[in-house]
Amino acid sequence: MQASGKNAGLGLALVSAFAFGGSGVAAKPLIEAGLDPLHMVWLRVAGAALVLSPLAWRHRDLLPRRPGLLAGFGLVAVAGVQAFYFASLSRIPVGVALLLEYLGPALLLGYIRFVQRKPVTRGAAAGAAVAVVGLACVVEIWAGLSLDLLGVLFGLAAACCQAFYFVFADQGADGEDAPDPLGVIAYGMLIGALVMTVIARPWEIDWQVLGGDASVGGTMVAAPVLLGWVVLVATVFAYVTGVVSVRRLSPQVAGVVAFLEAVVATVFAWILLGEHLSTWQIVGGALVLGGAFIAQSSRPAPQPAAEPAPVDREPTRAWGVSAK
């Protein structure tokens, strides 16, 4: 059962990585058509919140039970990642900002080891190290080394938020009263949409862009179709499969597999948008795949067996009270 659960979790993590990675090829044509990047983020989060709002009502008991978890997921795992990433993107090159954001899984391992004081498998640590090197090749970090300190700090903040996405996704998963992941995601999107409303100022959106078409690799596609893909597949479906995969695997393994999102995004851009893949990007993609394989192949260190409780040799009555 454990092996089948891990295989199912790995499959969900891969599906989630593909869904997240496919957001760029749908969002970029809309941005190139005239949509502001922050407005794109708001549409993504608010659209997902709207789709998931029936689930929020269904799981309304989560509000009094887990207010901290819901607020943390919405503020950090949804709004925080997006806001800090775009703030970083506005000051430093795209590849460097992407690399900094995807340091999140590596930071997650440090959090698990030094803050939670839980063991981290050597395979997960080695896989993360290999994947970071591969990601540096995928984004070709050497192509933009003129860095802005504030932009780097924003990128690291996005990485921290991404790390806590995995922490919140795993929160309470082992308890008898574990919160339903669908309810957590629904409320996370609602809270994230409220926060992004303040940041993105959606009342300034150019709605005419969404009424027309956008070019995807030379093919004109209706803007609502692209927006629907971003909301339904790259957000709702991606978050649901991602959170469930964390609970079936572990935050550290699911985090390393998430490195594949950047590779998927690059490959999709190559196939659908005609963006060229260099030799270093191909090598980097292979390294990320290798790192994810190393991480998911690792097994937890065996826990020392608990010492048996001392046996009371004194005769007892049937209801457990010592005989006098």
Side-chain angles (χ1 to χ4, degrees):
M1 292 296 292
Q2 289 183 351
S4 62
K6 181 179 178 180
N7 290 336
L10 178 61
L12 287 171
L14 292 172
V15 169
S16 178
F18 271 82
F20 273 125
S23 64
V25 293
K28 185 173 180 178
L30 293 175
I31 293 172
E32 291 178 340
L35 197 64
D36 184 90
L38 275 181
H39 291 163
M40 181 69 246
V41 174
W42 182 85
L43 289 167
R44 176 183 185 179
V45 177
L50 181 63
V51 171
L52 294 171
S53 55
L55 290 175
W57 175 253
R58 179 180 179 183
H59 296 286
R60 57 191 180 277
D61 62 305
L62 283 176
L63 276 175
R65 284 172 48 213
R66 297 296 181 92
L69 173 61
L70 301 182
F73 194 87
L75 292 172
V76 177
V78 177
V81 173
Q82 303 286 349
F84 282 121
Y85 172 68
F86 275 95
S88 173
L89 197 63
S90 67
R91 306 184 70 94
I92 60 178
V94 175
V96 180
L98 188 64
L99 175 64
L100 290 172
E101 181 191 353
Y102 278 94
L103 289 178
L107 295 178
L108 173 67
L109 297 182
Y111 175 83
I112 293 172
R113 178 67 182 88
F114 298 108
V115 177
Q116 293 186 331
R117 297 187 180 280
K118 294 179 180 179
V120 173
T121 62
R122 292 181 179 178
V130 172
V132 168
V133 174
L135 184 59
C137 295
V138 169
V139 302
E140 295 185 332
I141 185 176
W142 52 83
L145 295 178
S146 177
L147 301 184
D148 177 277
L149 178 59
L150 188 57
V152 171
L153 292 177
F154 282 143
L156 291 175
C160 291
C161 290
Q162 191 196 53
F164 275 99
Y165 158 76
F166 296 100
V167 174
F168 285 125
D170 190 55
Q171 188 71 30
D174 297 330
E176 295 180 359
D177 192 29
D180 190 290
L182 295 180
V184 173
I185 295 168
Y187 277 103
M189 289 297 168
L190 287 170
I191 295 170
L194 291 175
V195 175
M196 290 305 302
T197 297
V198 177
I199 297 173
R201 294 180 294 182
W203 49 88
E204 299 178 356
I205 290 178
D206 183 2
W207 296 101
Q208 292 183 351
V209 175
L210 297 177
D213 298 333
S215 175
V216 180
T219 302
M220 301 306 293
V221 179
V225 172
L226 296 175
L227 181 61
W229 176 274
V230 172
V231 171
L232 297 176
V233 177
T235 307
V236 174
F237 183 69
Y239 267 94
V240 169
T241 52
V243 169
V244 175
S245 74
V246 172
R247 296 192 176 191
R248 288 180 175 266
L249 290 169
S250 68
Q252 52 183 296
V253 174
V256 177
V257 176
F259 277 114
L260 291 173
E261 294 172 20
V263 178
V264 171
T266 304
V267 173
F268 277 173
W270 171 46
I271 296 174
L272 297 177
L273 301 182
E275 296 185 359
H276 176 68
L277 276 182
S278 69
T279 302
W280 278 112
Q281 287 177 314
I282 296 173
V283 171
L287 287 174
V288 173
L289 288 172
F293 176 78
I294 293 170
Q296 68 86 25
S297 300
S298 64
R299 286 174 170 76
Q303 300 294 325
E307 295 183 3
V311 178
D312 187 357
R313 300 294 183 182
E314 188 176 359
T316 59
R317 298 185 188 274
W319 52 83
V321 180
S322 296
K324 299 294 184 183

